[in-house]
Amino acid sequence: PSGKFVTSFAGVYTTRLAVDDLDQVAMLDRDTKSVRVVDRNGAPLYQAPSRGKYEFRNPVDIAFDAFGHLYVLDRDSATVFILTPTGLIASFTIAEKGVGAFRKSTAMALDSAGRLYIFDEKAMSVLIYQ
């Protein structure tokens, strides 16, 4: 409550963090273009590598949904990847000229109803998906 410094948490070059309801912390590792998930004490739980059945080209944001699924927004491929500790469960991309396409995404968020909000720099707007 007093804002007292406790300790350093992890030595990862990260630009985004997300915390789920179980206090698992996802970190977007900029060096390896992967996502590391640790517990609240910093102990490793799993890592989503940059390649597998999918490929992160330029991941820019991460978020957890209410079920603990991890969403990864990839700017260069205009794709949202949905992961669990065991791997990829889904992904979606909208054709570049399609309605709702996100071409230069920079941020995303999920609400409690499961709606996905993506800020698209090219469109200068927030796009909503359900």
Side-chain angles (χ1 to χ4, degrees):
S2 66
K4 179 182 172 188
F5 174 75
V6 177
T7 186
S8 293
F9 184 69
V12 175
Y13 173 42
T14 185
T15 54
R16 296 285 194 243
L17 298 169
V19 181
D20 72 3
D21 291 340
L22 301 174
D23 289 338
Q24 295 179 2
V25 180
M27 300 174 283
L28 185 55
D29 186 331
R30 299 303 297 167
D31 289 332
T32 62
K33 293 186 180 179
S34 64
V35 178
R36 296 180 187 209
V37 180
V38 298
D39 69 14
R40 67 182 303 187
N41 298 312
L45 296 173
Y46 66 94
Q47 182 170 346
S50 62
R51 298 173 196 259
K53 293 181 179 180
Y54 55 88
E55 180 180 356
F56 298 149
R57 293 193 296 188
N58 185 16
V60 294
D61 207 354
I62 53 178
F64 284 105
D65 69 10
F67 300 104
H69 300 124
L70 182 61
Y71 288 61
V72 180
L73 176 63
D74 191 285
R75 179 182 175 118
D76 287 358
S77 64
T79 302
V80 175
F81 298 96
I82 305 167
L83 307 165
T84 67
T86 58
L88 180 72
I89 58 169
S91 66
F92 77 91
T93 303
I94 297 174
E96 187 174 332
K97 298 195 188 245
V99 175
F102 46 98
R103 293 178 288 274
K104 292 206 177 205
S105 52
T106 57
M108 74 172 170
L110 291 154
D111 69 13
S112 60
R115 288 180 294 254
L116 175 65
Y117 299 81
I118 297 177
F119 175 71
D120 185 64
E121 202 171 57
K122 186 168 179 115
M124 290 302 294
S125 62
V126 176
L127 309 170
I128 304 171
Y129 307 86
Q130 180 148 2

